Amino acid sequence: MARIVQKFGGTSVADMARIKAVAERVKREVDAGNEVAVVVSAMAGVTNQLVAWTTEACPMHDAREYDAVVASGEQVTAGLLALALQNLGVNARSWLGWQIPLRTDGVHGKARIETIATDDLIRRMREGQVAVVAGFQGIGPDNRITTLGRGGSDTSAVALAAALGAERCDIFTDVDGVYTSDPRIVAKARKLDRITYEEMLELASQGAKVLQTRSVEMAMNHRVRVQVLSSFTDVPGTLVVDEDEIVEKRVVSGIAYNRDEAKITLLKVADRPGVAAAIFGPLADNAINVDMIVQNVSEDGRFTDLTFTVAKADLDRAVKVLEGKRAELGFAAIKPDRNVVKISVIGVGMRSHAGVAKEMFRALAEKGINIQVISTSEIKVSVLVAEEYTELALRALHTAYGLDAD
């Protein structure tokens, strides 16, 4: 007998037919003799509707009431799935965040989980009852409902699996696993049987939409084995595990891309100590995150050019902040550019293999793709290129690293 947490996203519970199909899938685990807890999202489109109603009611709304409204979507799904399971003869009940309780901090709209009480859940699961838990929500220090922000249901599921000491956490979604690249762009992309936490974290943070970054971080910190599966097909998925569980480490496991970045170049910046702090300090003060940074070599020792990237959604705000500091910073001009994409090559095997970056640069050069910015980490090399080369770059790199399916 194993203890398993299953999580079903919005598309998996989009209507009653799919909720009933989820109930059948959960029943199979119960019939196999396993203890099961299920975490559910709101039905597809419901959260967006609740957010829209909240904004319509009060554009400058109270964040506590916002959480009370949007958390109701998961409550409906949890109740419906519990009913569908009962209709199949499965002993099941729904749990809301405050009933467990799942304790969070008081940051409404993007709360972080602090503790999960599991004694009652474990007792009932041992008695054969399926716990159907509303994801995305908890209860704050003031006993008000909180929500966990983007990817909150994934985070709820992984946190619950850690607290329950589950054998694994199965994340059911509309894809059947983690691929070496986006199969919608790279036709020869292959599904991976296993991938390390570190690789999955990099893929998620660099644009892969399979799992949310917060849930992967939590899985890695608590060593929760996560399996990514499709709700719509009965095929093996991808296991996200500790590096020790993968015998043969691939040099490169995946190629990710992120279209959500924009580039800013400051021309003729004074080349003196403290200038970088003077530039990036105001951006940080305005909650604008900077990612890739490159500074050109100063020929005369007086001026240089500085290029960096920010989220596309923050570009206009970043330009406004910097323009407001132009007199103080003394740069000659500012050049924003939305027409860029970040391409990342990721793999734990990079730690012990040389030449990964060289192969990346060679493959892109052969396709006539100019590299604008480069950044690296222990298991990742990222480059910024013009957005129109996204598909060409992904396919070229996928082939260059031998990732193409036969």
Side-chain angles (χ1 to χ4, degrees), residues 388-403:
E388 57 262 32
Y389 293 117
T390 303
E391 290 81 4
L392 181 61
L394 286 173
R395 292 170 188 147
L397 292 172
H398 201 269
T399 299
Y401 290 108
L403 298 175

Side-chain angles (χ1 to χ4, degrees), residues 69-237:
V69 173
V70 299
S72 66
E74 282 73 16
Q75 176 174 339
V76 171
T77 311
L80 290 174
L81 180 56
L83 289 169
L85 285 165
Q86 291 172 10
N87 193 51
L88 295 175
V90 176
N91 182 9
R93 68 152 284 187
S94 62
W95 295 80
L96 306 184
W98 65 267
Q99 292 175 307
I100 295 174
L102 187 153
R103 295 281 179 186
T104 73
D105 62 21
V107 184
H108 287 270
K110 50 182 178 180
R112 300 190 73 85
I113 297 171
E114 294 184 342
T115 62
I116 303 178
T118 58
D119 289 349
D120 203 11
L121 280 176
I122 290 173
R123 178 179 61 80
R124 290 169 179 264
M125 290 170 68
R126 283 175 175 164
E127 293 171 355
Q129 186 177 80
V130 173
V132 184
V133 179
F136 180 61
Q137 62 181 254
I139 183 168
D142 57 355
N143 286 332
R144 296 293 298 266
I145 293 170
T146 56
T147 62
L148 308 182
R150 185 178 179 186
S153 290
D154 280 1
T155 304
S156 298
V158 174
L160 186 62
L164 291 171
E167 181 175 299
R168 68 175 190 274
C169 179
D170 291 341
I171 305 286
F172 289 88
T173 181
D174 52 1
V175 297
D176 62 356
V178 180
Y179 281 75
T180 48
S181 193
D182 188 338
R184 295 169 300 181
I185 295 177
V186 183
K188 293 183 178 180
R190 291 183 291 109
K191 185 169 67 177
L192 299 168
D193 295 327
R194 295 186 177 216
I195 188 170
T196 68
Y197 296 120
E198 291 88 348
E199 289 170 326
M200 190 67 246
L201 187 58
E202 289 285 9
L203 284 170
S205 64
Q206 299 308 317
K209 307 298 184 185
V210 181
L211 290 174
Q212 292 294 338
T213 305
R214 278 177 67 189
S215 65
V216 182
E217 286 176 346
M218 185 166 289
M220 183 167 64
N221 291 338
H222 296 279
R223 290 300 184 258
V224 175
R225 300 169 87 244
V226 174
Q227 184 173 209
V228 180
L229 299 153
S230 170
S231 297
F232 311 114
T233 57
D234 283 320
V235 296

Side-chain angles (χ1 to χ4, degrees), residues 28 47 87 91 138 226 243 262 272 291 293 313 323 352 361 365 391:
R28 289 203 295 271
T47 300
N87 193 51
N91 182 9
V226 174
E243 189 175 336
R272 56 178 171 75
D291 184 15
I293 303 172
E323 286 286 10
S352 55
F361 304 153
E391 290 81 4

